[in-house]
Every structure is written in structure tokens, then in C-alpha cells.
Amino acid sequence: FPSHDNGQCMEGDWSVTSTLTDAAKNASKPTTSSFTLDATAPVFTSAEAATAVSENSPTSTTIYTAVATGATAYNLKAGALDSDQFVIDSTTGVVKLKASPDFETKHNYSFTVLASDAAGNVTEKTVTLAINNVDEVAPTFNSSTVAAAVNENIPIGTIIYTAVATDVDFVAPAIVTGK
């Protein structure tokens, strides 16, 4: 077979004709076999990061679409990173959540996509997914529900009550002031 300088056979369509001969010099009829040599793995063209999703997103949410030139099938690499948290459509490369993510439990995920071609060549790509925090818990007021008694005709702008609230679920709680 023709080969590259590195000794590897060149890819392409090949035919081999063979004749078998025994010790008595009896020869068989020539037999021709054809095959295609493909040693090139698919090449990913999709991004290394999935579009971030908000926590509590439904399992029907598409979080990533794997695209690789020459690929005929897609899979998630078993046991790799967080791959067990996702499902992939082997034909389209669409990746979806198996369960709704929870930012308070995990802020980001990584999974590895495998792309294979008809010849069995495989390539892989590790993808990251960020989870956006959603404020799920209403603030709790920690201050008294009763304001102090005030004298009439107090000056405008006098503070008569200070409300204190905490929001345990939100990263940057808002501070609201008022009179």
C-alpha cells in the first residue's frame, strides 16, 4: 500500500487482489476485496462552554449541541467529570439536563462529549456549563413589627423605624431605605 513518509498507509479506497498457491503449485482463482481506510477522527466545531442556565431549569432544557465534522454518532464519556448528570441525543448531539440544577449545591458542571465516525475513529471534547443563581427564598424581616411611639410635630427626616431583613439565598442582597 502507498504510505506517507511516516510509514502509515494513506487513507482512501483500496482494492486488493490475491491468489492462493499451495505447495503443489495449484493456484486459486484471483479474489478481489475492496475497503476504505479512514484514520481521521471527527473534528469538533462546537464551543468548549455551554450557554449558562439558571438553577431550577427543566430537564427538557437543551444546554449544548455538539457539532463535529465527519461525526456519525455522539455519546457522553462514561465516568468522566459530571457526564452522569446529562443525556445526549446520539444522532443530533443535543445535550440536556437529567435533573434541574441547584446553584446552592453546585455552581458549574463539566462533561465530555465523544464524537465517532463510521470507521470507528473517536475524538472527545470537554465542555463546561455554568449555573446562574436565582433568588428562590423571600427575605425574612428580623426587626420588630412595632415602631416606637413618636411625638407629633417631629422634624421631617427623623428616623422613626429601621427595618432589617436578611435574604439567605441571594448573593448580593439589595439594601432598601425609605422614610
Side-chain angles (χ1 to χ4, degrees):
F1 295 104
S3 63
H4 296 284
D5 292 337
N6 62 8
Q8 292 183 341
C9 291
M10 293 175 58
E11 293 188 53
D13 294 327
W14 295 95
S15 294
V16 176
T17 302
S18 58
T19 304
L20 301 176
T21 305
D22 63 15
K25 305 288 183 199
N26 298 312
S28 67
K29 291 183 181 180
T31 303
T32 301
S33 299
S34 298
F35 62 94
T36 299
L37 179 60
D38 174 7
T40 303
V43 176
F44 277 99
T45 57
S46 51
E48 291 181 1
T51 302
V53 296
S54 295
E55 66 177 323
N56 304 320
S57 293
T59 57
S60 61
T61 303
T62 296
I63 56 114
Y64 184 76
T65 301
V67 178
T69 56
T72 57
Y74 298 96
N75 291 291
L76 293 173
K77 187 173 185 178
L81 308 165
D82 302 308
S83 292
D84 60 343
Q85 301 296 309
F86 306 94
V87 293
I88 190 167
D89 182 301
S90 63
T91 304
T92 65
V94 169
V95 179
K96 295 184 179 191
L97 302 164
K98 272 190 181 177
S100 294
D102 179 24
F103 180 87
E104 287 74 30
T105 304
K106 192 167 175 83
H107 301 314
N108 53 54
Y109 294 85
S110 294
F111 55 93
T112 301
V113 178
L114 303 174
S116 58
D117 64 15
N121 299 305
V122 178
T123 190
E124 62 182 60
K125 179 173 229 163
T126 299
V127 179
T128 57
L129 169 67
I131 306 301
N132 297 323
N133 193 13
V134 174
D135 190 0
E136 305 160 288
V137 179
T140 304
F141 282 95
N142 302 329
S143 52
S144 171
T145 57
V146 178
V150 294
N151 294 326
E152 66 178 317
N153 299 324
I154 61 172
I156 295 175
T158 301
I159 296 175
I160 62 166
Y161 179 78
T162 301
V164 178
T166 56
D167 188 347
V168 297
D169 190 37
F170 201 67
V171 177
I175 298 174
V176 180
T177 60
K179 297 178 183 166

